[in-house]
Amino acid sequence: MMIVLDVLFFGVLLEIAYVDYKTRYIYDLHLIAALLVAVVRLFFADGDWIDALGGAAMGFALGYLMYKLAYLYYKEEAFGFGDVLLLGVLGFYYGLLGFLSCFCITYLILGVLIILPVVFRPSLLQLSVPMAPVYVGGALIYK
């Protein structure tokens, strides 16, 4: 049962990543679907609800901090609120420590992948990148 729920959860995440890549938008319906699958999984796994809620709070807080800092720096929405909510959903799924590990691994891999191209082409710093595929890729690698 857990494997089916995990596959369903990551299926929804892949849909979120694809839609964000194509449209630069994360739909609330997809986020709600992912959260519902995570809740059902936690219920059947007899999981730690406090840890899941702590992870969701941490994911949302980190996402909201990046959202606000990006807005202050770019003077426009550079980091979407859908990304904030996606981090909250990932935090709920992984729990507090799991989310922090996933988040760090994701940004470590992202940093390594970005350093070389930017060194050779500094103009890439101005490139706009949808973040959902990055977060979903990191979540798949972490899982």
Side-chain angles (χ1 to χ4, degrees):
M1 181 66 162
M2 292 304 119
I3 292 174
V4 171
L5 291 171
D6 285 339
V7 168
L8 185 58
F9 180 76
F10 282 101
V12 175
L13 287 185
L14 288 171
E15 173 70 15
I16 290 171
Y18 177 77
V19 170
D20 189 36
Y21 176 74
K22 287 293 195 182
T23 67
R24 303 289 173 103
Y25 193 79
I26 299 175
Y27 290 97
D28 293 339
L29 182 63
H30 293 143
L31 290 167
I32 291 168
L35 183 60
L36 285 175
V37 172
V39 166
V40 170
R41 183 186 181 282
L42 190 64
F43 178 77
F44 281 114
D46 199 26
D48 185 354
W49 290 89
I50 300 299
D51 185 45
L53 292 173
M58 178 60 72
F60 182 83
L62 281 173
Y64 192 73
L65 177 64
M66 290 187 296
Y67 174 81
K68 283 299 191 182
L69 290 174
Y71 189 83
L72 288 172
Y73 183 79
Y74 293 106
K75 307 294 189 242
E76 63 183 3
E77 187 177 80
F79 187 85
F81 201 73
D83 296 314
V84 175
L85 297 176
L86 177 59
L87 288 174
V89 171
L90 288 173
F92 186 87
Y93 180 81
Y94 284 116
L96 183 58
L97 294 179
F99 170 76
L100 290 173
S101 297
C102 177
F103 186 81
C104 290
I105 288 170
T106 300
Y107 273 93
L108 179 67
I109 292 169
L110 181 64
V112 168
L113 291 176
I114 286 179
I115 286 175
L116 284 177
V118 168
V119 166
F120 294 109
R121 288 182 74 196
S123 63
L124 289 176
L125 285 174
Q126 303 304 319
L127 187 65
S128 173
V129 177
M131 290 303 292
V134 173
Y135 293 136
V136 171
L140 285 167
I141 290 169
Y142 180 74
K143 186 64 176 175

